[in-house]
Amino acid sequence: MPGLVVLLAACGGDHDHRPVDRAPPSDDARAIAVDAQNAEVLLGEVMFVTNLMTLNVAYDLNMYSVVMPATACDNDGTVARESEPGGAGRVTAIDYENCRISLGPDTDLRLDGGLAFQYDSADPASPFQIDATAFVSDLRENQGGIVYGNRTRLDGTLRMTPDPIAGLPFASVSDAGLTLAFEYLEDDQSLHTREWQLQDFAVPFAVDLMTGGMGIGARGRLSLTGPEQSAGFVDVDTDPLLSTSMAACPDSGDLTVTGAEDSQVRLSVQHADEAVITTNGNARLIECGDLLDLADPMAVLVIAH
């Protein structure tokens, strides 16, 4: 998988099963003031959410529900699917209940929750809307006797448009209104927890036919709602998309995070070796390795699947 995924997807795939408040952020939610102390943390959170939406959410929803649908579980869990009548047979609803899927001798994925699919047209590459109800993907990998994992919870709605070149399971996400939560675990102990609410959120994804590189970005409003996060929201825009040609870090693109009173932090990339981070007019260079660390604010480079 191209190097941009290493940066914008510095974690593996998964999600958890508990009721999630699906209401959007309240009208009195306040914008976060971006300053020298929190700018790079906020930038890291945005890149981390972009990763979750690209791999954990879009990939899991498409791979295990549409592309290679789970029709049976490797445990006593269950999976129930409903499909369109006739030849198309596309899935219209699916309900996972503690369904374990073996991904190898030391890696398991557990899926839980309900999904409903609505397609724009009969075209096989048609965009579609997904309504997720407490959808959970919980990935565990045994490494030397220690079980590491990611758990991601998703509750809400989003649209997906399959990439015309890469196709499913990769897709652009748009019109997302949802709650997204992430936990990193070691031996069932939750070490890091984050939760966000996304409003009118989009995660565009594109493959360059000429170079084989990828472009990924994020646009919309992101509210930080976890107990260990700054309370409030920021607005996000990526123009142009962060793109790579098989390097560990992006070689072009511009990501801006804007908070209260137009305070902002911007990541500007001209080549893969280094980038510029500008906080309220003050710029500094950042090397690829440091950018990788920033993109993974919890320092949990875990299992991609």
Side-chain angles (χ1 to χ4, degrees):
M1 195 169 291
L4 183 59
V5 173
V6 176
L7 171 64
L8 289 181
C11 71
D14 46 332
H15 327 344
D16 140 11
H17 189 37
R18 22 186 134 138
V20 178
D21 182 5
R22 301 182 64 179
S26 61
D27 292 338
D28 60 358
R30 296 184 178 181
I32 299 172
V34 180
D35 57 33
Q37 284 68 48
N38 66 12
E40 295 188 10
V41 171
L42 291 171
L43 186 63
E45 291 237 13
V46 168
M47 288 191 285
F48 197 75
V49 169
T50 302
N51 157 57
L52 289 179
M53 292 298 294
T54 303
L55 284 188
N56 296 41
V57 174
Y59 187 93
D60 282 355
L61 289 174
N62 288 322
M63 176 60 78
Y64 301 106
S65 300
V66 180
V67 180
M68 296 178 62
T71 57
C73 306
D74 295 324
N75 60 350
D76 57 0
T78 61
V79 54
R81 294 166 50 88
E82 297 178 14
S83 302
E84 292 179 325
R90 296 181 299 190
V91 61
T92 56
I94 188 166
D95 184 66
Y96 297 103
E97 187 170 337
N98 190 32
C99 181
R100 179 175 68 84
I101 301 171
S102 177
L103 302 181
D106 299 311
T107 305
D108 288 332
L109 177 68
R110 290 180 185 264
L111 300 175
D112 216 355
L115 304 169
F117 298 78
Q118 184 173 346
Y119 302 89
D120 287 5
S121 72
D123 189 319
S126 170
F128 53 94
Q129 177 173 305
I130 297 178
D131 191 333
T133 303
F135 177 73
V136 176
S137 168
D138 191 342
L139 183 70
R140 303 299 175 93
E141 182 176 61
N142 190 320
Q143 298 181 4
I146 299 176
V147 179
Y148 298 94
N150 301 312
R151 181 186 296 157
T152 308
R153 298 185 283 119
L154 175 69
D155 212 313
T157 62
L158 65 158
R159 282 177 54 80
M160 290 192 190
T161 302
D163 183 79
I165 297 173
L168 288 174
F170 295 106
S172 291
V173 173
S174 62
D175 300 328
L178 51 87
T179 297
L180 176 65
F182 172 87
E183 289 181 85
Y184 170 66
L185 306 102
E186 289 187 11
D187 286 335
D188 283 331
Q189 297 297 311
S190 179
L191 301 185
H192 302 280
T193 303
R194 291 290 188 272
E195 183 170 294
W196 307 271
Q197 289 183 327
L198 284 63
Q199 288 178 282
D200 298 323
F201 210 82
V203 182
F205 175 91
V207 173
D208 189 315
L209 184 61
M210 299 298 294
T211 67
M214 298 192 307
I216 302 174
R219 301 187 185 106
R221 178 157 294 182
L222 181 69
S223 294
L224 286 62
T225 55
E228 300 176 3
Q229 296 163 279
S230 303
F233 67 81
V234 292
D235 292 317
V236 182
D237 188 36
T238 313
D239 186 19
L241 298 182
L242 295 174
S243 299
T244 183
S245 298
M246 307 303 289
C249 288
D251 50 35
S252 64
D254 195 305
L255 171 63
T256 302
V257 180
T258 303
E261 298 180 353
D262 291 328
S263 57
Q264 67 176 220
V265 56
R266 174 176 295 170
L267 172 68
S268 299
V269 183
Q270 300 298 322
H271 55 81
D273 294 333
E274 64 183 17
V276 177
I277 293 179
T278 305
T279 303
N280 298 325
N282 297 312
R284 81 173 185 95
L285 287 174
I286 183 170
E287 296 182 349
C288 177
D290 294 330
L291 187 57
L292 290 173
D293 292 338
L294 179 64
D296 184 12
M298 289 165 282
V300 290
L301 293 173
V302 190
I303 5 170
H305 65 287

